Amino acid sequence: MHKHELPPLSLYIHIPWCVKKCPYCDFNSHKQTGDLPEEQYIEQLIRDFEKDKNLLQNHSIQSIFFGGGTPSLLSVASIEKLLIYLNKNTSLTADCEITLEANPGTVDEKKFAGFCKAGINRLSIGIQSFSNQSLIDLGRIHDGKQALSAYEIARKAGFNNINLDLMFGLPNQSIASALHDLKQAINLDPEHISWYQLTIETNTYFYKFPPPLPEDDLLWTMQTEGQKLLKHSGYHQYEISAYAKTNLQCRHNINYWTFGDYLGIGAGAHSKITQNDNIIRQWKYKQPNDYLDPEKSFTAGKSIIPEKDLPLEFLLNTLRLIDGVDYALFEKRTGLPLHIIEKSIANAEQKQLLCKNRLQATPQGLQFLNDLLQLFQ
């Protein structure tokens, strides 16, 4: 591996609690019981960051993402304290994108205005659907009216960069109802829409008790008709499930998808850091009680990504991007010469899964992404 420059850097902050665990959710989230130990948790996040600060190598942070769980459960004071600390103790780029995930069932005007004033400049609202029946089926704590209200409150609070999370392929969903959901989202005119198919993950309630999901041909029609609708409405698809107005793509997620570096703090958070020409992954203790335990180290594990695994790790991310990446980025991010994957590239081009002269999946390659990735294993 040859020496390479440090990639861009993002910070991910995990908030592990939510009001209720959704039956499809396989994220590290835990149902809130009683009062949140948020003051203690913020102190631990600060300690966690202090311990890992050397990994940043004096590199500026270009984006921060509060994910969960439900970060909007936290008080404005907690978010503000953490952002003040980060501003004082590390270098943030002047245009640092700072996103907070919010659940429509946990918002009020005063809180959103407070988040905006504290420095959150991008909001991601987990709508999932506007249909009351679909929301019940998904185990969500909000209804369609609250979903609309959360968006209006966010706008009134001063947010001018909002993402709406929306799913399709819901239990018993028809093509018409899936497109109706999408039209309602588009009519609100957010800057960004994350629109993705409900998938059944292991370790979820839905995995044990599968709901009646639409057939594959219905899912295909939902997806293709929805994509046409989004395109016609001015939303450019830049990743498999991400659509944005011009120049309003999520910079934090683009950094993941272009194999940038990120530091993760909080229960169960993961990091990928380039250090001394190695690429290191590390992860934190998942259970909030372990993370809050002052006797325990925050880090549950750490490993160097073996050189043989780097090409696939890189492509698992970059091939999700609709426009892909140029060949030079492969060498820049992995430190490996392109020729080690040239045979696989030629094979993928021959099968019409990869475009010529660029690491970019063809429309067919995007449709059969797992088949494409297998060629690089």
Side-chain angles (χ1 to χ4, degrees), residues 25-303:
C25 177
D26 72 334
F27 291 121
N28 182 34
S29 61
H30 305 265
K31 185 181 173 180
Q32 176 191 356
T33 50
D35 292 336
L36 288 184
E38 64 175 287
E39 280 183 36
Q40 190 190 352
Y41 193 74
I42 296 296
E43 289 301 328
Q44 289 293 83
L45 285 172
I46 289 170
R47 283 185 59 229
D48 188 358
F49 185 85
E50 281 292 333
K51 285 198 169 185
D52 279 350
K53 210 168 150 186
N54 65 309
L55 297 175
L56 306 187
Q57 302 160 87
N58 299 316
H59 212 31
S60 292
I61 293 169
Q62 62 149 28
S63 67
I64 299 172
F65 196 101
F66 287 86
T70 305
S72 55
L73 281 175
L74 293 189
S75 66
V76 170
S78 289
I79 298 290
E80 192 171 38
K81 182 176 181 179
L82 195 52
L83 289 177
I84 286 169
Y85 161 80
L86 289 169
N87 270 298
K88 280 184 182 169
N89 292 278
T90 191
S91 167
L92 307 183
T93 59
D95 61 347
C96 186
E97 176 192 87
I98 308 175
T99 304
L100 180 121
E101 285 185 333
N103 183 318
T106 62
V107 306
D108 63 60
E109 214 160 322
K110 197 177 170 192
K111 206 175 199 185
F112 267 15
F115 288 149
C116 194
K117 199 176 168 192
I120 303 294
N121 54 30
R122 184 176 182 273
L123 205 61
S124 181
I125 308 176
I127 303 282
Q128 312 315 355
S129 176
F130 293 96
S131 152
N132 287 340
Q133 186 53 55
S134 288
L135 289 166
I136 291 165
D137 291 341
L138 289 172
R140 302 294 288 172
I141 63 167
H142 68 277
D143 59 23
K145 200 174 170 187
Q146 283 173 301
L148 293 166
S149 169
Y151 182 83
E152 284 161 18
I153 288 169
R155 283 290 189 224
K156 266 188 203 162
F159 285 102
N160 59 10
N161 193 358
I162 298 176
N163 167 61
L164 297 183
D165 256 3
L166 210 64
M167 287 183 182
F168 69 92
L170 308 182
N172 298 307
Q173 191 177 42
S174 66
I175 294 166
S177 60
L179 295 177
H180 182 64
D181 257 356
L182 192 52
K183 281 173 192 164
Q184 281 188 273
I186 289 167
N187 287 341
L188 290 173
D189 201 31
E191 285 66 33
H192 191 287
I193 295 175
S194 298
W195 190 60
Y196 49 95
Q197 185 186 328
L198 169 64
T199 51
I200 306 299
E201 306 288 353
T202 52
N203 305 318
T204 64
Y205 179 85
F206 274 178
Y207 185 75
K208 289 176 193 150
F209 306 98
L213 298 181
E215 298 291 331
D216 284 352
D217 57 339
L218 289 184
L219 289 170
W220 177 247
T221 306
M222 281 177 197
Q223 185 179 317
T224 51
E225 290 302 310
Q227 285 170 336
K228 282 183 208 164
L229 184 60
L230 284 155
K231 190 176 181 181
H232 179 72
S233 306
Y235 290 91
H236 167 65
Q237 184 183 14
Y238 65 99
E239 188 267 348
I240 284 175
S241 58
Y243 304 78
K245 290 185 178 181
T246 306
N247 298 327
L248 287 163
Q249 297 94 333
C250 175
R251 279 188 278 144
H252 186 85
N253 286 341
I254 283 180
N255 192 40
Y256 285 153
W257 294 323
T258 51
F259 212 53
D261 278 359
Y262 50 91
L263 177 69
I265 60 171
H270 284 242
S271 304
K272 175 213 159 248
I273 299 286
T274 306
Q275 194 180 38
N276 302 327
D277 296 326
N278 286 315
I279 298 176
I280 297 160
R281 288 208 186 279
Q282 72 169 17
W283 50 98
K284 305 296 165 73
Y285 280 105
K286 282 180 80 167
Q287 293 296 329
N289 287 346
D290 288 332
Y291 187 81
L292 289 166
D293 185 345
E295 300 301 311
K296 283 191 170 162
S297 154
F298 296 108
T299 304
K302 199 175 200 173
S303 65

